[in-house]
Amino acid sequence: MQIYVCIKQVPDTAASITLRGPREFDEALKFVMNPFDEFAVEQALRVKEQTGAGEVVVVTVGRESAESVVRTALAMGADRGILVTADIRLLDSLATGRALYRAIAQDGSPDLIFTGKQSVDSEGMQIPYRLAAAFDMPIVNEVVSFLLANKTVSVEREIGSGMREVIDLALPCIIGATKGLNEPRYTRLPEIMKARSKELKKIDINQLGVAPAAGRLELMELFPEPERGRAMMLQGSVPEMILELTRLLTNKEQIL
Amino acid sequence: MKVGILVETASKQIKKTNLGVITAACQEGAHVLYALMFTGAAENHQEILQSHGVNNIVTISAAGADVDRSPELKARALIGAMKALDLDALLGISSSLGRDLLARIAAELDAPLALDCVGVDVAAGTVVKSQFSGKTLARFKLLGTPFICGLRPNVIPPIPYPVIAAIVPFQVAIEGSRRLQVRSLKKAAADEIDLTEAEIIISAGRPIGSAENFKILKDCAKELGAAVGASRAAVDSGFAPHAMQIGQTGKTVSPKLYIACGISGSVQHFAGMKGSKVIVAINTDPEAPIFSKSNYGIQGDLFAVVPALTEALKKQRSSESYP
Ligand SMILES: Cc1cc2nc3c(=O)[nH]c(=O)nc-3n(C[C@H](O)[C@H](O)[C@H](O)COP(=O)(O)OP(=O)(O)OC[C@H]3O[C@@H](n4cnc5c(N)ncnc54)[C@H](O)[C@@H]3O)c2cc1C
Ligand SMILES: Nc1ncnc2c1ncn2[C@@H]1O[C@H](COP(=O)(O)O)[C@@H](O)[C@H]1O
């Protein structure tokens, strides 16, 4: 089984984002693997363990520094990595999708591609679909349960109101992982050491024939969200506070 | 411009969240609107759609392909309609269904797509959406036609714009395919209202203490017509299923009212609910971070405050019915 996993380097979810100019932010931050991509790596490793053969290759498009998340995935157990370097942090989804497609297609022939369901920085929610269109493979995103048997993949996806769709897909296919799918494994020191010597291939995005600036989603400006101030604290006994609250929500906010 | 709207129904009714999308698409009558749907009973929806500015109700039927069992084929049928009608843009709700279909369509057409938007200017082709899990906002220009946009539920208040809508049946021939098949639907949890589209949400954190204790929230939710959510700490402690988690690695919600009970207010929790219009926080600790970014705060024990709220709402309702 030839398995590819797309992972992205993103700012730590706890970090605060300081804007620097219209389209830039202060990148002196802690960066981590996109949390949803950890579920993708874990599932890929489990499939390899289940089938007992094949290879798990992690692929990322990012800065040189994105090597760190590739090393993390290698320490989790992936076999090798591909880093497509692009000198731009908030790269357009169409360009990213194309670069991932070309990098994977020139490397091998995938039986399964795992991604996360969304990047927590750009919140594009579309790369797995763009890959699926490029490879002409079926895709299911936001997967919380995955089963592979007899060359058929069976997944579950939450659709709200406590309902799940149970979906069958033929291989090769693309799966977007979300929380609930599995518990990603921790990396231990020996594996982290071993990961340092695993193969990591670097390719410049321009070598893939993808012009990073030729996207179709042009970032015009980043701007801070209007801040909600400190809460107005309600006073008095519990019944008094509740009375005041229902009054405010009914009359002032017109919600109740 | 010719603007398509991917209309969603639930229990054969037009979802209320569609109306804000239609208002955004309409721009006070600047565009010709096409509501795209897969139902024969368009007459039932004509009134509500035309009162908000929809000029055409396109009822799509795809002969030979079971679109209900394949979102892939459904997207293809929609693309067929978009091409035949020569639409310049497609708007929809950023619900779990909408996100999936809009992304399939955009990928297939290699068209620009922005999901989870909080604003859109159709004429200008620009959108506003959150970045970094709600820590900042960004304005994007979508270059090329058609462009595709999914709007967060409830962010745009619907405004009536009465017109007369024509019903346009549309037949499309698509090749069947069995490589992706929805085999069944399965009930995984008992929550009745979809969190992502809920107008009111009440949620609890770690101090709820057990799955059984969620009953006090459910009772209150019943009075409010609300959906029930949870923090990650409550989910990871086994008190609530993943489907109920709100935040960074859970659901992003945008209700009119969000009541956080015993939730500290971590950045990761805010990432999922800061788009709420009004936030009410109930917390025993007056220094809890949640109070620094909420509208109203109640310092108190959720086990006392929530049942008191439930009782007050019950009373309010009974006094309304017997004036
Ligand atoms: C990568 C990553 C992703 C994450 N994703 C999410 C996510 O999606 N969603 C999420 O919620 N978190 C997420 N977190 C976790 C987040 O950082 C917090 O740990 C979590 O939100 C805390 O949950 P809590 O507020 O319920 O619990 P606590 O932090 O334990 O807070 C409990 C609060 O309740 C108050 N309290 C105690 N008893 C009572 C009582 N009887 N009545 C009223 N108030 C009381 C306390 O004063 C306290 O403020 C994520 C973290 C990481 C690193
Ligand atoms: N630059 C990138 N490099 C590798 N994978 C990516 C990149 N951007 C997005 N992805 C993958 O696509 C998923 C969805 O991302 P997005 O469409 O940006 O929300 C992520 O969870 C990753 O698995």
Side-chain angles (χ1 to χ4, degrees), chain A residues 12-14 32-33 35 38 179, chain B residues 204-208 230-234 236 245-251 260-272 282-290 298 300-304:
Chain A
D12 187 351
T13 57
V32 296
M33 190 190 307
E38 293 181 17
K179 186 176 173 186
Chain B
R206 192 194 319 263
I208 192 73
S231 75
R232 167 161 151 185
D236 287 357
Q245 182 176 321
I246 290 169
Q248 186 86 66
T249 39
K251 298 217 155 59
C261 314
I263 292 179
S264 56
S266 63
V267 274
Q268 291 95 350
H269 192 76
F270 265 102
I282 300 166
N283 199 299
T284 42
D285 176 7
E287 301 301 322
I290 187 117
I298 291 182
D301 180 353
L302 77 93
F303 293 99

Side-chain angles (χ1 to χ4, degrees), chain A residues 13 121 129 166 179 253, chain B residues 100 132 135 183 186 245 296:
Chain A
T13 57
D121 56 353
Y129 296 93
V166 184
K179 186 176 173 186
E253 308 289 355
Chain B
D100 184 60
F132 305 104
K135 285 174 197 152
R183 183 148 43 92
K186 172 168 155 185
Q245 182 176 321
Y296 303 108

